[in-house]
Amino acid sequence: MTSSETSSETFSEFETVVELRRYTLHPGRRDELIELFEREFVEPQEAAGAHVFGLFRSRASPDEFVWLRGFRSMAERKAALEEFYFGPIWKEHRSAANETMIDSDNVLLLRPLRRGLASPPPGTGLHVTVSPGAPAPAPDSVFAAFETEPSANTFPQLPVRTDGPFSVWFSRVASPASFELVPTSRSLIR
């Protein structure tokens, strides 16, 4: 077994609970937040028990930052978020991060229908489709599919959307309803 196979199998466990986080930022502040996030927030979150699958720029919106964070369970999500957000790293850098943001509440809490974030297929481009309503069968081009996690948000300090349900699909192929994400230098999903 190669080390990449070991990593993808291990990280697949973190697809049990996934947050799709879409932040609207003050004009011209996206790269500032990405630099801070990549420098200060990835390793401490992973040490706390979360897994950061990807950090992205939205191609269509120059003031949107999108990221994906996963957990092994809702209980582990609560513990990891408490450790990170009540810990010293967030306390030290939260003001700088929050000053870049207009809105950080566009967050979908998801559970898997088809796992695949840990080992996306070869290729370029990442296209995400968010659809309201109950999940429909995903097209063949979709490598990972999720639906709204019905459990209550166990860390209310970070709101999640409750106006669902939603289906979320990840693909290498654009669709009329998808938006394209461009990975940052630290994104594991390329």
PDB file of all heavy atoms in Angstrom, residues 99-120:
ATOM      1  N   GLU A  99     -11.903  40.694  10.669  1.00  0.00           N
ATOM      2  CA  GLU A  99     -11.884  41.998  10.008  1.00  0.00           C
ATOM      3  C   GLU A  99     -11.938  41.886   8.488  1.00  0.00           C
ATOM      4  O   GLU A  99     -12.308  42.845   7.817  1.00  0.00           O
ATOM      5  CB  GLU A  99     -10.649  42.790  10.440  1.00  0.00           C
ATOM      6  CG  GLU A  99     -10.748  43.297  11.872  1.00  0.00           C
ATOM      7  CD  GLU A  99      -9.436  43.865  12.394  1.00  0.00           C
ATOM      8  OE1 GLU A  99      -8.441  43.945  11.626  1.00  0.00           O
ATOM      9  OE2 GLU A  99      -9.409  44.207  13.589  1.00  0.00           O
ATOM     10  N   THR A 100     -11.588  40.730   7.929  1.00  0.00           N
ATOM     11  CA  THR A 100     -11.646  40.553   6.474  1.00  0.00           C
ATOM     12  C   THR A 100     -13.048  40.177   5.994  1.00  0.00           C
ATOM     13  O   THR A 100     -13.329  40.246   4.807  1.00  0.00           O
ATOM     14  CB  THR A 100     -10.668  39.448   6.006  1.00  0.00           C
ATOM     15  OG1 THR A 100     -11.109  38.178   6.493  1.00  0.00           O
ATOM     16  CG2 THR A 100      -9.241  39.733   6.455  1.00  0.00           C
ATOM     17  N   MET A 101     -13.931  39.781   6.914  1.00  0.00           N
ATOM     18  CA  MET A 101     -15.214  39.160   6.564  1.00  0.00           C
ATOM     19  C   MET A 101     -16.402  40.102   6.679  1.00  0.00           C
ATOM     20  O   MET A 101     -16.508  40.867   7.625  1.00  0.00           O
ATOM     21  CB  MET A 101     -15.472  37.956   7.471  1.00  0.00           C
ATOM     22  CG  MET A 101     -14.434  36.882   7.384  1.00  0.00           C
ATOM     23  SD  MET A 101     -14.785  35.579   8.588  1.00  0.00           S
ATOM     24  CE  MET A 101     -13.164  34.840   8.716  1.00  0.00           C
ATOM     25  N   ILE A 102     -17.308  39.943   5.714  1.00  0.00           N
ATOM     26  CA  ILE A 102     -18.632  40.556   5.798  1.00  0.00           C
ATOM     27  C   ILE A 102     -19.610  39.538   6.369  1.00  0.00           C
ATOM     28  O   ILE A 102     -20.414  39.840   7.241  1.00  0.00           O
ATOM     29  CB  ILE A 102     -19.107  41.039   4.408  1.00  0.00           C
ATOM     30  CG1 ILE A 102     -18.212  42.163   3.899  1.00  0.00           C
ATOM     31  CG2 ILE A 102     -20.574  41.468   4.453  1.00  0.00           C
ATOM     32  CD1 ILE A 102     -18.453  42.548   2.456  1.00  0.00           C
ATOM     33  N   ASP A 103     -19.521  38.289   5.873  1.00  0.00           N
ATOM     34  CA  ASP A 103     -20.439  37.227   6.300  1.00  0.00           C
ATOM     35  C   ASP A 103     -19.696  35.895   6.315  1.00  0.00           C
ATOM     36  O   ASP A 103     -19.067  35.525   5.329  1.00  0.00           O
ATOM     37  CB  ASP A 103     -21.633  37.153   5.338  1.00  0.00           C
ATOM     38  CG  ASP A 103     -22.590  36.017   5.663  1.00  0.00           C
ATOM     39  OD1 ASP A 103     -22.732  35.657   6.850  1.00  0.00           O
ATOM     40  OD2 ASP A 103     -23.203  35.479   4.725  1.00  0.00           O
ATOM     41  N   SER A 104     -19.804  35.182   7.437  1.00  0.00           N
ATOM     42  CA  SER A 104     -19.191  33.854   7.536  1.00  0.00           C
ATOM     43  C   SER A 104     -20.233  32.800   7.913  1.00  0.00           C
ATOM     44  O   SER A 104     -19.874  31.710   8.355  1.00  0.00           O
ATOM     45  CB  SER A 104     -18.062  33.869   8.574  1.00  0.00           C
ATOM     46  OG  SER A 104     -18.570  34.214   9.858  1.00  0.00           O
ATOM     47  N   ASP A 105     -21.511  33.114   7.729  1.00  0.00           N
ATOM     48  CA  ASP A 105     -22.582  32.207   8.155  1.00  0.00           C
ATOM     49  C   ASP A 105     -23.179  31.364   7.029  1.00  0.00           C
ATOM     50  O   ASP A 105     -24.122  30.618   7.266  1.00  0.00           O
ATOM     51  CB  ASP A 105     -23.706  32.990   8.838  1.00  0.00           C
ATOM     52  CG  ASP A 105     -23.265  33.595  10.156  1.00  0.00           C
ATOM     53  OD1 ASP A 105     -22.209  33.180  10.678  1.00  0.00           O
ATOM     54  OD2 ASP A 105     -23.970  34.483  10.660  1.00  0.00           O
ATOM     55  N   ASN A 106     -22.639  31.451   5.810  1.00  0.00           N
ATOM     56  CA  ASN A 106     -23.136  30.614   4.713  1.00  0.00           C
ATOM     57  C   ASN A 106     -22.405  29.272   4.799  1.00  0.00           C
ATOM     58  O   ASN A 106     -21.423  29.024   4.110  1.00  0.00           O
ATOM     59  CB  ASN A 106     -22.900  31.288   3.362  1.00  0.00           C
ATOM     60  CG  ASN A 106     -23.518  30.512   2.220  1.00  0.00           C
ATOM     61  OD1 ASN A 106     -24.103  29.447   2.403  1.00  0.00           O
ATOM     62  ND2 ASN A 106     -23.387  31.051   1.016  1.00  0.00           N
ATOM     63  N   VAL A 107     -22.911  28.431   5.701  1.00  0.00           N
ATOM     64  CA  VAL A 107     -22.242  27.170   6.028  1.00  0.00           C
ATOM     65  C   VAL A 107     -23.259  26.038   5.945  1.00  0.00           C
ATOM     66  O   VAL A 107     -24.320  26.094   6.574  1.00  0.00           O
ATOM     67  CB  VAL A 107     -21.642  27.214   7.452  1.00  0.00           C
ATOM     68  CG1 VAL A 107     -20.984  25.884   7.798  1.00  0.00           C
ATOM     69  CG2 VAL A 107     -20.657  28.369   7.579  1.00  0.00           C
ATOM     70  N   LEU A 108     -22.914  25.018   5.168  1.00  0.00           N
ATOM     71  CA  LEU A 108     -23.746  23.820   5.094  1.00  0.00           C
ATOM     72  C   LEU A 108     -23.060  22.708   5.867  1.00  0.00           C
ATOM     73  O   LEU A 108     -21.877  22.417   5.642  1.00  0.00           O
ATOM     74  CB  LEU A 108     -23.960  23.393   3.639  1.00  0.00           C
ATOM     75  CG  LEU A 108     -24.758  24.368   2.786  1.00  0.00           C
ATOM     76  CD1 LEU A 108     -24.842  23.861   1.346  1.00  0.00           C
ATOM     77  CD2 LEU A 108     -26.149  24.600   3.350  1.00  0.00           C
ATOM     78  N   LEU A 109     -23.791  22.096   6.777  1.00  0.00           N
ATOM     79  CA  LEU A 109     -23.334  20.941   7.534  1.00  0.00           C
ATOM     80  C   LEU A 109     -23.864  19.720   6.798  1.00  0.00           C
ATOM     81  O   LEU A 109     -25.080  19.585   6.607  1.00  0.00           O
ATOM     82  CB  LEU A 109     -23.871  21.014   8.965  1.00  0.00           C
ATOM     83  CG  LEU A 109     -23.343  20.010   9.966  1.00  0.00           C
ATOM     84  CD1 LEU A 109     -21.826  20.105  10.109  1.00  0.00           C
ATOM     85  CD2 LEU A 109     -24.021  20.225  11.324  1.00  0.00           C
ATOM     86  N   LEU A 110     -22.947  18.834   6.374  1.00  0.00           N
ATOM     87  CA  LEU A 110     -23.295  17.781   5.420  1.00  0.00           C
ATOM     88  C   LEU A 110     -22.900  16.394   5.907  1.00  0.00           C
ATOM     89  O   LEU A 110     -21.984  16.245   6.718  1.00  0.00           O
ATOM     90  CB  LEU A 110     -22.578  18.059   4.086  1.00  0.00           C
ATOM     91  CG  LEU A 110     -22.821  19.432   3.469  1.00  0.00           C
ATOM     92  CD1 LEU A 110     -21.823  19.699   2.349  1.00  0.00           C
ATOM     93  CD2 LEU A 110     -24.254  19.554   2.973  1.00  0.00           C
ATOM     94  N   ARG A 111     -23.584  15.385   5.349  1.00  0.00           N
ATOM     95  CA  ARG A 111     -23.201  13.983   5.541  1.00  0.00           C
ATOM     96  C   ARG A 111     -23.076  13.343   4.169  1.00  0.00           C
ATOM     97  O   ARG A 111     -23.705  13.784   3.197  1.00  0.00           O
ATOM     98  CB  ARG A 111     -24.206  13.254   6.423  1.00  0.00           C
ATOM     99  CG  ARG A 111     -25.571  13.084   5.779  1.00  0.00           C
ATOM    100  CD  ARG A 111     -26.490  12.334   6.710  1.00  0.00           C
ATOM    101  NE  ARG A 111     -27.814  12.192   6.102  1.00  0.00           N
ATOM    102  CZ  ARG A 111     -28.839  11.678   6.727  1.00  0.00           C
ATOM    103  NH1 ARG A 111     -28.725  11.249   7.966  1.00  0.00           N
ATOM    104  NH2 ARG A 111     -30.000  11.572   6.110  1.00  0.00           N
ATOM    105  N   PRO A 112     -22.276  12.277   4.049  1.00  0.00           N
ATOM    106  CA  PRO A 112     -21.961  11.740   2.722  1.00  0.00           C
ATOM    107  C   PRO A 112     -23.074  10.875   2.128  1.00  0.00           C
ATOM    108  O   PRO A 112     -23.729  10.112   2.825  1.00  0.00           O
ATOM    109  CB  PRO A 112     -20.715  10.894   2.978  1.00  0.00           C
ATOM    110  CG  PRO A 112     -20.846  10.459   4.401  1.00  0.00           C
ATOM    111  CD  PRO A 112     -21.531  11.600   5.113  1.00  0.00           C
ATOM    112  N   LEU A 113     -23.238  11.019   0.825  1.00  0.00           N
ATOM    113  CA  LEU A 113     -23.993  10.078   0.004  1.00  0.00           C
ATOM    114  C   LEU A 113     -23.016   9.239  -0.810  1.00  0.00           C
ATOM    115  O   LEU A 113     -23.242   8.070  -1.062  1.00  0.00           O
ATOM    116  CB  LEU A 113     -24.944  10.820  -0.940  1.00  0.00           C
ATOM    117  CG  LEU A 113     -26.065  11.611  -0.274  1.00  0.00           C
ATOM    118  CD1 LEU A 113     -26.768  12.494  -1.293  1.00  0.00           C
ATOM    119  CD2 LEU A 113     -27.042  10.661   0.394  1.00  0.00           C
ATOM    120  N   ARG A 114     -21.916   9.885  -1.230  1.00  0.00           N
ATOM    121  CA  ARG A 114     -20.831   9.223  -1.962  1.00  0.00           C
ATOM    122  C   ARG A 114     -19.532   9.894  -1.535  1.00  0.00           C
ATOM    123  O   ARG A 114     -19.320  11.062  -1.815  1.00  0.00           O
ATOM    124  CB  ARG A 114     -21.021   9.380  -3.473  1.00  0.00           C
ATOM    125  CG  ARG A 114     -19.918   8.705  -4.281  1.00  0.00           C
ATOM    126  CD  ARG A 114     -19.989   9.008  -5.769  1.00  0.00           C
ATOM    127  NE  ARG A 114     -21.293   8.715  -6.331  1.00  0.00           N
ATOM    128  CZ  ARG A 114     -21.695   9.158  -7.521  1.00  0.00           C
ATOM    129  NH1 ARG A 114     -20.899   9.898  -8.263  1.00  0.00           N
ATOM    130  NH2 ARG A 114     -22.894   8.853  -7.973  1.00  0.00           N
ATOM    131  N   ARG A 115     -18.701   9.147  -0.829  1.00  0.00           N
ATOM    132  CA  ARG A 115     -17.420   9.703  -0.379  1.00  0.00           C
ATOM    133  C   ARG A 115     -16.463   9.812  -1.561  1.00  0.00           C
ATOM    134  O   ARG A 115     -16.524   9.006  -2.469  1.00  0.00           O
ATOM    135  CB  ARG A 115     -16.813   8.822   0.709  1.00  0.00           C
ATOM    136  CG  ARG A 115     -17.613   8.831   1.993  1.00  0.00           C
ATOM    137  CD  ARG A 115     -17.051   7.840   3.002  1.00  0.00           C
ATOM    138  NE  ARG A 115     -17.971   7.670   4.097  1.00  0.00           N
ATOM    139  CZ  ARG A 115     -17.743   8.115   5.327  1.00  0.00           C
ATOM    140  NH1 ARG A 115     -16.628   8.746   5.599  1.00  0.00           N
ATOM    141  NH2 ARG A 115     -18.631   7.918   6.278  1.00  0.00           N
ATOM    142  N   GLY A 116     -15.576  10.805  -1.502  1.00  0.00           N
ATOM    143  CA  GLY A 116     -14.606  10.964  -2.564  1.00  0.00           C
ATOM    144  C   GLY A 116     -13.717  12.184  -2.397  1.00  0.00           C
ATOM    145  O   GLY A 116     -12.806  12.396  -3.193  1.00  0.00           O
ATOM    146  N   LEU A 117     -13.951  12.995  -1.384  1.00  0.00           N
ATOM    147  CA  LEU A 117     -13.116  14.176  -1.186  1.00  0.00           C
ATOM    148  C   LEU A 117     -11.675  13.791  -0.865  1.00  0.00           C
ATOM    149  O   LEU A 117     -10.737  14.488  -1.247  1.00  0.00           O
ATOM    150  CB  LEU A 117     -13.662  15.042  -0.046  1.00  0.00           C
ATOM    151  CG  LEU A 117     -14.993  15.732  -0.291  1.00  0.00           C
ATOM    152  CD1 LEU A 117     -15.405  16.513   0.950  1.00  0.00           C
ATOM    153  CD2 LEU A 117     -14.929  16.652  -1.499  1.00  0.00           C
ATOM    154  N   ALA A 118     -11.493  12.686  -0.165  1.00  0.00           N
ATOM    155  CA  ALA A 118     -10.156  12.268   0.241  1.00  0.00           C
ATOM    156  C   ALA A 118      -9.317  11.764  -0.923  1.00  0.00           C
ATOM    157  O   ALA A 118      -8.097  11.760  -0.852  1.00  0.00           O
ATOM    158  CB  ALA A 118     -10.251  11.187   1.322  1.00  0.00           C
ATOM    159  N   SER A 119      -9.969  11.349  -1.999  1.00  0.00           N
ATOM    160  CA  SER A 119      -9.232  10.835  -3.156  1.00  0.00           C
ATOM    161  C   SER A 119      -9.964  11.191  -4.443  1.00  0.00           C
ATOM    162  O   SER A 119     -10.503  10.331  -5.127  1.00  0.00           O
ATOM    163  CB  SER A 119      -9.048   9.324  -3.043  1.00  0.00           C
ATOM    164  OG  SER A 119     -10.300   8.699  -2.855  1.00  0.00           O
ATOM    165  N   PRO A 120      -9.987  12.499  -4.783  1.00  0.00           N
ATOM    166  CA  PRO A 120     -10.656  12.897  -6.017  1.00  0.00           C
ATOM    167  C   PRO A 120      -9.957  12.316  -7.237  1.00  0.00           C
ATOM    168  O   PRO A 120      -8.770  11.994  -7.182  1.00  0.00           O
ATOM    169  CB  PRO A 120     -10.577  14.420  -6.001  1.00  0.00           C
ATOM    170  CG  PRO A 120      -9.470  14.745  -5.084  1.00  0.00           C
ATOM    171  CD  PRO A 120      -9.367  13.617  -4.103  1.00  0.00           C
TER     172      PRO A 120
END
